[in-house]
Amino acid sequence: MKIASFQHGGVDDVGIVRPDGIVPLRALAPDAPTSMREALEWLPGRDLDADAAEPSAVLPLDAVRYLPVVPDPQSIWCAALTYLSHVREGGDRPVPDYPLFFLRVANSQVGHEEPMLLPAVSSQLDYEGELAVVIGTRGRDIPMESALDHVAGFACYNDGSVRDWQRHTSQITMGKNFDATGGFGPWLVTPDEFGDPAGHRITTRLNGEVMQDTTVDRLLFPIEYLIHYVSTVSTLEVGDVIVTGTSGGVGLRRNPPVFMRAGDVVEVEIDGIGTLRNPIAPAPAPASGGFRAYHPTIAEES
């Protein structure tokens, strides 16, 4: 089953995706929720037949505005350096003993077909095609053996990175959290339909040109371990997202570097899910006049 978060008539909703459109859950059950996080708790054990919906209930795919798969997750855990090809393209970096994680905020995400915004303070917006894992069952200290039982589904993710801001310090968080720089969509595919994650291919295209191409089985840390690792630190809640990392081929490491510009179109395709597509647009100029760097004057304390 494919489940999408969307907006129709200015109202946020959630529904089941069919080839010809989206059926809001409320069209199938009057008590159905209208948000993805609530739907992930409400859906298990219910037998909903979207194919039996009244024709008038089916919203054409081009009549909705797609929201991020989970618009309001409590946590978005993003893994870094999880593919050997990406580690190697960075130079002499060692292969990490443990996955590197940083956190994203919800406002940094946009849905399918929504523009990813090139910040006014940078010209170095990079693409990173990745597989996202959405948690469906709350858990802490989750063992690898049962980790996939906590997964509600999978989606495409573009972990857009503002490279110069990412390199301001050794902590990369600031370059990963500009508003509307991460694509998340087009919808969630449940595990029964997606199958074994390891067998799926992830392809990133910029203006139709393939920039990244890998398979999930190339992950240095399997999905089960990523869930186990994060849940050892923090309770995973329903709707939380684990973004599993990107492969080699990022724009920063090309010669010359390739960064996304206004007017570009970037796509992340994962077989078994579909294609997340986002145009690139300039962010509005800041009314405040823009960012001003501040470097402290060092004075020894007596």
Side-chain angles (χ1 to χ4, degrees), residues 54-287:
E54 294 291 330
S56 59
V58 183
L59 304 174
L61 295 176
D62 60 2
V64 305
R65 177 190 178 194
Y66 290 92
L67 301 174
V69 171
V70 186
D72 58 345
Q74 174 176 285
S75 300
I76 308 164
W77 294 89
C78 297
L81 302 182
T82 54
Y83 285 89
L84 184 61
S85 59
H86 188 40
V87 174
R88 295 294 189 228
E89 71 180 354
D92 296 328
R93 288 187 300 203
V95 175
D97 292 326
Y98 300 98
L100 285 72
F101 274 99
F102 57 91
L103 286 164
R104 266 191 177 269
V105 297
N107 283 349
S108 72
Q109 303 185 130
V110 295
H112 174 57
E113 296 287 4
E114 291 296 298
M116 292 172 60
L117 299 182
L118 176 63
V121 295
S122 177
S123 60
Q124 296 188 9
L125 179 61
D126 205 349
Y127 53 82
E128 291 192 13
E130 310 188 18
L131 174 69
V133 179
V134 178
I135 298 300
T137 303
R138 186 177 190 268
R140 176 74 191 274
D141 295 315
I142 300 170
M144 288 183 64
E145 293 76 16
S146 60
L148 293 182
D149 295 339
H150 289 258
V151 174
F154 304 88
C156 304
Y157 208 98
N158 190 340
D159 181 29
S161 305
V162 182
R163 295 300 190 190
D164 48 348
W165 281 71
Q166 182 179 323
R167 298 194 301 275
H168 278 183
T169 71
S170 61
Q171 303 295 321
I172 65 176
T173 296
M174 299 309 287
K176 297 285 191 173
N177 279 284
F178 276 82
D179 284 356
T181 53
F184 187 16
W187 38 64
L188 175 146
V189 178
T190 53
D192 59 314
E193 183 169 325
F194 191 62
D196 181 5
H200 292 266
R201 180 169 295 278
I202 307 172
T203 305
T204 307
R205 292 183 293 269
L206 182 60
N207 299 324
E209 179 181 354
V210 173
M211 310 301 280
Q212 296 176 288
D213 189 49
T214 192
T215 49
V216 179
D217 62 356
R218 305 300 296 175
L219 279 169
L220 293 170
F221 306 98
I223 291 169
E224 296 92 328
Y225 182 73
L226 297 177
I227 294 171
H228 170 62
Y229 188 80
V230 172
S231 72
T232 300
V233 175
S234 178
T235 300
L236 287 171
E237 302 287 352
V238 174
D240 282 357
V241 184
I242 296 178
V243 188
T244 57
T246 203
S247 66
V250 299
L252 175 66
R253 301 302 179 187
R254 292 176 174 269
N255 187 16
V258 175
F259 296 116
M260 297 187 291
R261 304 286 186 241
D264 288 348
V265 174
V266 61
E267 297 172 305
V268 178
E269 180 177 2
I270 302 178
D271 60 278
I273 296 176
T275 301
L276 165 67
R277 180 183 184 275
N278 297 101
I280 307 301

Side-chain angles (χ1 to χ4, degrees), residues 2 16-23 50-51 58-61 66 187:
K2 296 181 176 69
I16 297 173
V17 180
R18 305 190 334 186
D20 60 339
I22 298 177
V23 180
D51 292 332
V58 183
L59 304 174
L61 295 176
Y66 290 92
W187 38 64

